[in-house]
Amino acid sequence: MTDTYAKTQFEQVLLTSGLGALTGERYKESLRDGREVWLNGERIEDVTVHPAFKGTVDRLAELYDLQHSEGLRDVMTYVDEDSGIRLSKSYLLPRTLDELKEKYANSHAWMQNTWGQLGRSPDYMANVVVGLYDFRDELEGNREGFGQNAVDYWKHCAYNDLALTHALGDPQIDRSKSVLDDPDQGLRIIEEREDGIVVRGAKQLATLAPLSNEVLSYLSASFAVREAEEFVLWFALPMNTPGLKILCREPLGDHEWGHGHPFARQYDEQDSMLFFDDVFIPWQRVFLMHDGPLALTGLRRITPWAGYSSHIRFEQRMKTYLGVASLVADSIGVSGFRNIQEQLGEMTSVVEIARFLTLATEAQHTTTSGGLVAPVSSPAVGVYSANISGRMQEILRRIAASGMLMQPSQADLDSEELRPFLEKYMKGADGMGVDEKARIFRLAWDLAGDGFGQRQELYEFLHRGDVTRNLIGLYHRYDKSDLIGRIKTMVSAPLPE
């Protein structure tokens, strides 16, 4: 390690006990830890086998196994110099441009292998922890030991390849009031003890929470007013911490009627409300307290690598839209129509712009005060992604039209009595069989028709923060001084006739 923080006893233990890059089986076993997960009024004993979670757990396990596959091992992992342990490149601290490009390749492997559908892939939050490490000196200035906590936490996550969620949003009780009017609208510190703090409240929406190892809470910059210091708090906790309750939303991709939901079954990452019922947090897991302005600064500082990962995912998600839309058009014989080609061309332009934006964030990299090489971060990228995604969904619906609504299930396809009618009236163009056509349209339905597709779109629009706020911030931070000065000089004299 190249900073001034000494190795603590905690880190020394990690150097000998950490197991490094996860396998699928280790991931599944890590979720059987007694966590308190609630779904539909029932406490779930084991998320790895419950039908609401099993499909996504199994897919995540397959992705972790990819880290050890012959073709991707060196793309997705590296050997740590201190311990000789092979770690995930999601946790790599990039100190050179080449190492930043290695992180790109790793994120690309995660996102390509999930069709861009896994917004809270473990790669995303791992890169938030990279940012937390990078912000260590400023955290140390908040309170002695907090910077060391950030270094220790990065080690803890990297050496165990933890899957994380984050908890940022506050309960939607009455948004016309502040936490000073109703303290239940924010997570707050209710007691400071010699060994740590006790918190009470709730946070939403913790995506992937029931399938994560730990939660990292780090926003709270909105509570920058002087009277609300107890609401400004950054910390991390295991998901099985006593008093932490995980309430899950309705699962997506219902199989009751036999219709395949290929994306929903594998990538319903769950969104949860977290209830903190007087939860104790030891000091070693606290990173920032009582400083709203620092939290606001930190929010921008710790997210560039996660934003990089997110935009790589966005590019892959847009490519998936384009691929499915192209196959839908082929399957019903409309791909030669001029208006369809125009729509597919518009989709292609979005994919290409997304690719260029990803490359641009890397090309305009900087070296941070924490010593890491960071991709450039701009709200403009997030605003573009949030606004254009809905257009891709709309075009797919237009091309597929009513065909998205009426496709046979697998049981229909297996029915001897129905089969002749399906082959005659529901087949595709140019000799495409009814089975292939039905499966293509099921992909389209998952992306643009049912609850999974709508959830994905809502996630895309909201997960980078409020679009209006981001646009306002972008405008105010953009350096317009030279431009405004030139225009003022032009209008300071009569304009040429």
Side-chain angles (χ1 to χ4, degrees):
M1 208 177 294
T2 59
D3 53 51
T4 58
Y5 295 91
K7 285 188 175 65
T8 62
Q9 183 178 4
F10 175 68
E11 285 184 282
Q12 296 287 4
V13 170
L14 281 174
L15 289 174
T16 57
S17 66
L19 296 176
L22 269 179
T23 63
E25 189 52 45
R26 278 176 50 213
Y27 169 66
K28 289 184 179 181
E29 186 58 37
S30 74
L31 301 180
R32 302 183 184 110
D33 58 2
R35 62 190 57 203
E36 190 173 345
V37 177
W38 290 85
L39 174 64
N40 195 32
E42 173 191 2
R43 181 166 178 179
I44 309 303
E45 295 301 324
D46 186 349
V47 296
T48 68
V49 297
H50 192 280
F53 308 102
K54 185 178 185 303
T56 307
V57 169
D58 288 346
R59 184 66 185 118
L60 283 166
E62 291 170 358
L63 292 164
Y64 277 121
D65 281 337
L66 283 180
Q67 297 186 127
H68 303 274
S69 66
E70 183 177 349
L72 288 174
R73 185 185 188 206
D74 291 332
V75 173
M76 301 181 75
T77 65
Y78 71 103
V79 176
D80 177 61
E81 293 180 357
D82 288 339
S83 64
I85 298 174
R86 188 169 284 274
L87 306 180
S88 167
K89 283 187 181 175
S90 297
Y91 284 106
L92 176 65
L93 300 173
R95 301 187 186 279
T96 66
L97 177 58
D98 284 343
E99 289 180 340
L100 183 63
K101 290 182 176 182
E102 288 183 41
K103 290 184 72 64
Y104 170 88
N106 172 61
S107 294
H108 186 270
W110 275 97
M111 305 315 172
Q112 185 180 49
N113 282 284
T114 55
W115 304 96
Q117 300 302 311
L118 201 59
R120 192 61 76 249
S121 77
D123 182 68
Y124 177 86
M125 282 304 299
N127 279 295
V128 173
V129 177
V130 168
L132 189 73
Y133 172 95
D134 187 62
F135 199 53
R136 62 199 180 281
D137 289 340
E138 289 83 351
L139 297 175
E140 187 70 16
N142 178 238
R143 182 176 292 196
E144 185 179 356
F146 282 0
Q148 183 66 64
N149 289 351
V151 173
D152 286 351
Y153 191 66
W154 172 80
K155 280 280 188 179
H156 173 56
C157 293
Y159 275 73
N160 292 287
D161 200 10
L162 297 185
L164 305 182
T165 183
H166 64 185
L168 306 182
D170 302 299
Q172 290 185 331
I173 299 173
D174 184 349
R175 300 185 71 178
S176 68
K177 296 181 180 178
S178 75
V179 291
L180 300 179
D181 301 314
D182 180 4
D184 285 336
Q185 296 198 107
L187 181 69
R188 65 193 186 279
I189 301 169
I190 61 170
E191 182 183 0
E192 287 194 29
R193 300 178 355 194
E194 184 176 343
D195 54 348
I197 57 178
V198 178
V199 300
R200 179 185 300 166
K203 283 287 186 181
Q204 66 174 34
L205 282 148
T207 301
L208 202 72
L211 312 183
S212 298
N213 301 120
E214 300 207 359
V215 56
L216 178 60
S217 183
Y218 59 87
L219 184 59
S220 62
S222 55
F223 304 132
V225 293
R226 189 183 343 178
E227 297 86 353
E229 288 89 350
E230 72 267 30
F231 296 92
V232 180
L233 177 64
W234 290 14
F235 64 89
L237 285 175
M239 298 310 297
N240 65 346
T241 299
L244 177 58
K245 302 176 189 296
I246 307 165
L247 176 65
C248 300
R249 59 151 169 79
E250 176 186 1
L252 304 171
D254 189 356
H255 298 271
E256 182 179 356
W257 297 107
H259 286 277
H261 292 268
F263 288 131
R265 192 190 75 80
Q266 299 180 87
Y267 304 118
D268 182 11
E269 52 194 355
Q270 257 299 337
D271 305 292
S272 307
M273 176 76 82
L274 302 185
F275 300 118
F276 295 82
D277 187 19
D278 292 4
V279 172
F280 170 70
I281 306 172
W283 284 120
Q284 291 90 336
R285 286 180 163 271
V286 180
F287 311 114
L288 185 152
M289 288 174 58
H290 304 332
D291 192 335
L294 181 62
L296 183 60
T297 299
L299 183 61
R300 292 193 293 266
R301 274 285 307 279
I302 71 174
T303 53
W305 299 274
Y308 189 49
S309 169
S310 183
H311 202 70
I312 295 167
R313 176 201 56 79
F314 174 79
E315 179 191 344
Q316 292 300 314
R317 182 167 173 255
M318 296 302 99
K319 288 179 73 172
T320 301
Y321 268 122
L322 174 61
V324 172
S326 299
L327 288 173
V328 165
D330 290 342
S331 75
I332 54 177
V334 299
S335 55
F337 293 5
R338 182 176 175 83
N339 65 310
I340 299 297
Q341 290 184 17
E342 179 186 19
Q343 291 170 341
L344 292 172
E346 182 180 343
M347 297 180 88
T348 306
S349 74
V350 171
V351 171
E352 278 290 88
I353 290 171
R355 182 172 69 89
F356 290 145
L357 286 173
T358 304
L359 294 174
T361 61
E362 178 186 288
Q364 297 191 25
H365 62 278
T366 60
T367 300
T368 70
S369 61
L372 301 187
V373 175
V376 70
S377 179
S378 172
V381 176
V383 169
Y384 171 78
S385 303
N387 286 326
I388 202 65
S389 177
R391 175 59 180 162
M392 296 287 274
Q393 194 175 77
E394 178 188 359
I395 294 175
L396 177 55
R397 284 196 295 262
R398 287 189 178 189
I399 294 174
S402 61
M404 280 211 308
L405 295 172
M406 189 63 249
Q407 292 298 324
S409 70
Q410 190 59 48
D412 294 331
L413 293 167
D414 292 339
S415 169
E416 292 184 8
E417 185 173 351
L418 284 174
R419 187 74 194 196
F421 296 93
L422 302 182
E423 289 182 342
K424 184 174 183 178
Y425 298 114
M426 301 191 78
K427 64 184 177 181
D430 297 327
M432 179 181 289
V434 62
D435 302 75
E436 183 179 359
K437 179 187 175 185
R439 289 164 188 162
I440 291 171
F441 270 85
R442 294 312 301 179
L443 292 175
W445 178 251
D446 249 12
L447 290 175
D450 75 349
F452 175 79
Q454 302 317 306
R455 181 268 173 196
Q456 296 295 81
E457 185 53 37
L458 186 62
Y459 174 91
E460 200 71 74
F461 188 76
L462 294 175
H463 89 101
R464 300 172 186 85
D466 180 81
V467 172
T468 299
R469 183 190 63 205
N470 289 342
L471 283 170
I472 293 171
L474 175 65
Y475 172 74
H476 285 299
R477 287 198 296 272
Y478 186 77
D479 185 0
K480 303 177 287 294
S481 56
D482 180 64
L483 173 65
I484 296 299
R486 288 170 58 211
I487 294 174
K488 285 185 173 181
T489 299
M490 178 185 290
V491 301
S492 64
L495 297 175
E497 296 185 4

